[in-house]
DNA sequence: TTAATATGCAACCATTTGGTTGCATGTCAA
DNA sequence: TTGACATGCAACCAAATGGTTGCATATTAA
């Protein structure tokens, strides 16, 4: 569960759209997911493989179909372990920046 | 302030490292930032330009030096507008996934 | 003024990325 | 069983990405 894989997976708008789609309706098959996308099935498959590699999506074969489930845990971990760090010092960093900018034109 | 630019800027480990470095010590010059990095100054410049384009870093010329300041606002916006959405349904999505998995082997 | 320092600009290159097409495999239903 | 349907695999391609080198410009300090 490398954090880098999660960040890189989230970098592409198509993949974020896929996560959105699963967020709206969980457990969609590959074909169902493809219907909203303006690209070939194979391209969507590649994106889903990247999301799966980042552990953001879990799949399950049911007969000849493959169901896709959203796994929100990695997103949550990024929020807690990485974003939280910056959020904590948000106000101090901002005031620091403002002070410097005001010092610019005396 | 497109969210896509922020996501793509955060996708690269070098750029996250630069944000970390600024988080540790705000207002560093280009040369100061380069000292921790194992690449040429020009490569670092490009990364900083991308961070600046995503509004994650603000720069200020002071004499012949250029100071770099962290702007945590875009990170915060992503946390609130995008990550929050998934976080809210975190538990329900997880239990949903578990239910499906348990249904698998009756 | 001149030399050293800090940064900017541009061309170039290898690799990665995001997409395609073509075909193969596996499963359901008539 | 056979045809239709859902997915998998692989080769290929253009464009973006991350890095380099070489040189230009601007500012400080001796």
């Amino acid at each position: 569960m490398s954090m880098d894989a999660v960040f890189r997976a989230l970098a592409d708008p198509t993949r974020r759209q896929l996560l959105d789609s699963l967020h709206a309706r969980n457990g969609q098959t590959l074909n169902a997911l493809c219907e909203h996308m303006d690209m070939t099935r194979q391209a969507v498959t590649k994106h889903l493989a990247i999301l799966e590699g980042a552990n953001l999506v879990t799949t399950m074969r049911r007969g000849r179909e493959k169901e896709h489930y959203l796994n929100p845990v990695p997103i949550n971990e990024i929020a807690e372990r990485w974003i939280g760090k910056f959020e904590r010092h948000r106000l101090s960093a901002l005031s620091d920046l403002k002070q410097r900018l005001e010092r610019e034109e005396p």
Side-chain angles (χ1 to χ4, degrees), chain A:
Chain A
M1 41 130 201
S2 99
M3 203 165 65
D4 188 64
V6 180
F7 271 114
R8 269 188 295 120
L10 294 180
D12 187 90
T14 300
R15 291 194 285 271
R16 292 197 302 275
Q17 195 183 337
L18 284 168
L19 292 181
D20 280 339
S21 184
L22 287 178
H23 181 255
R25 193 155 61 91
N26 211 3
Q28 290 182 72
T29 67
L30 173 59
N31 260 352
L33 286 168
C34 284
E35 278 174 11
H36 317 307
M37 304 292 160
D38 195 24
M39 61 185 66
T40 62
R41 174 179 55 83
Q42 287 82 350
V44 176
T45 302
K46 283 191 186 180
H47 284 298
L48 287 170
I50 291 173
L51 289 171
E52 215 180 328
N55 202 26
L56 284 162
V57 161
T58 304
T59 64
M60 207 167 57
R61 205 59 196 259
R62 193 175 305 281
R64 64 179 162 180
E65 296 185 338
K66 192 176 185 182
E67 296 175 345
H68 296 76
Y69 293 94
L70 176 66
N71 180 19
V73 174
I75 292 180
N76 199 254
E77 285 178 350
I78 279 192
E80 288 186 355
R81 299 187 189 173
W82 199 82
I83 291 184
K85 177 171 65 176
F86 290 94
E87 206 160 327
R88 255 172 262 133
H89 297 279
R90 187 190 169 197
L91 293 178
S92 62
L94 274 181
S95 67
D96 184 37
L97 177 57
K98 278 182 187 168
Q99 277 186 4
R100 299 267 181 167
L101 286 171
E102 282 160 7
R103 247 205 303 136
E104 189 66 344
E105 302 177 59

